[in-house]
């Protein structure tokens, strides 16, 4: 796959789901490094986490604007344009849910 090596390493180290890797892949290098630093710093805080992809997504939300995240999700789900259109109709508060 054309997954960047840093994303592949994070996915393997943390046991992330494929879609989560797809989100990471679409971040800028700086954004990915910021997320990775938060996840891998502090003595392996991710050890034993039940839903690592969820934890990663919450970190991503901390470095990426809501609109950026929406664009990423629509890109990943580009097969389903109607879903994307529905998502854009949501208010900013609803979108972050």
């Amino acid at each position: 796959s054309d997954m960047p090596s840093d994303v592949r390493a994070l996915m393997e180290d943390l046991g992330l789901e494929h879609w989560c890797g797809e989100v990471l892949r679409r971040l800028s290098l700086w954004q990915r490094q910021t997320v990775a630093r938060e996840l891998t710093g502090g003595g392996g805080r991710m050890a034993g986490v039940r839903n690592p992809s969820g934890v990663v997504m919450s970190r991503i939300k901390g470095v990426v604007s809501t609109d950026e995240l929406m664009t990423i999700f629509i890109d990943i789900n580009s097969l389903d344009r109607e879903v994307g259109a529905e998502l854009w109709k949501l208010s900013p508060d609803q979108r972050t849910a």
Side-chain angles (χ1 to χ4, degrees), residues 20-41:
C20 193
E22 289 293 331
V23 175
L24 283 165
R25 188 172 82 125
R26 287 164 173 80
L27 302 182
S28 72
L29 182 60
W30 178 85
Q31 289 169 330
R32 289 205 304 263
Q33 287 172 339
T34 303
V35 169
R37 220 177 3 254
E38 288 186 14
L39 293 170
T40 54

Side-chain angles (χ1 to χ4, degrees), residues 3-55:
M3 201 61 87
S5 58
D6 63 309
V7 173
R8 226 181 2 249
L10 261 183
M11 289 179 72
E12 288 169 10
D13 291 350
L14 304 176
L16 303 179
E17 294 168 61
H18 182 72
W19 63 264
C20 193
E22 289 293 331
V23 175
L24 283 165
R25 188 172 82 125
R26 287 164 173 80
L27 302 182
S28 72
L29 182 60
W30 178 85
Q31 289 169 330
R32 289 205 304 263
Q33 287 172 339
T34 303
V35 169
R37 220 177 3 254
E38 288 186 14
L39 293 170
T40 54
R45 279 180 297 204
M46 293 291 286
V49 169
R50 200 172 297 146
N51 180 9
S53 295
V55 175

Side-chain angles (χ1 to χ4, degrees), residues 1 5 13-14 16 22 38-39 44-45 48 52 56 58 65-66 68-69 74-75 88 90 95:
S1 75
S5 58
D13 291 350
L14 304 176
L16 303 179
E22 289 293 331
E38 288 186 14
L39 293 170
R45 279 180 297 204
V56 170
S58 70
S65 74
T66 301
E68 243 182 310
L69 207 51
I74 290 168
D75 185 40
W88 277 115
L90 298 174
R95 279 188 223 154

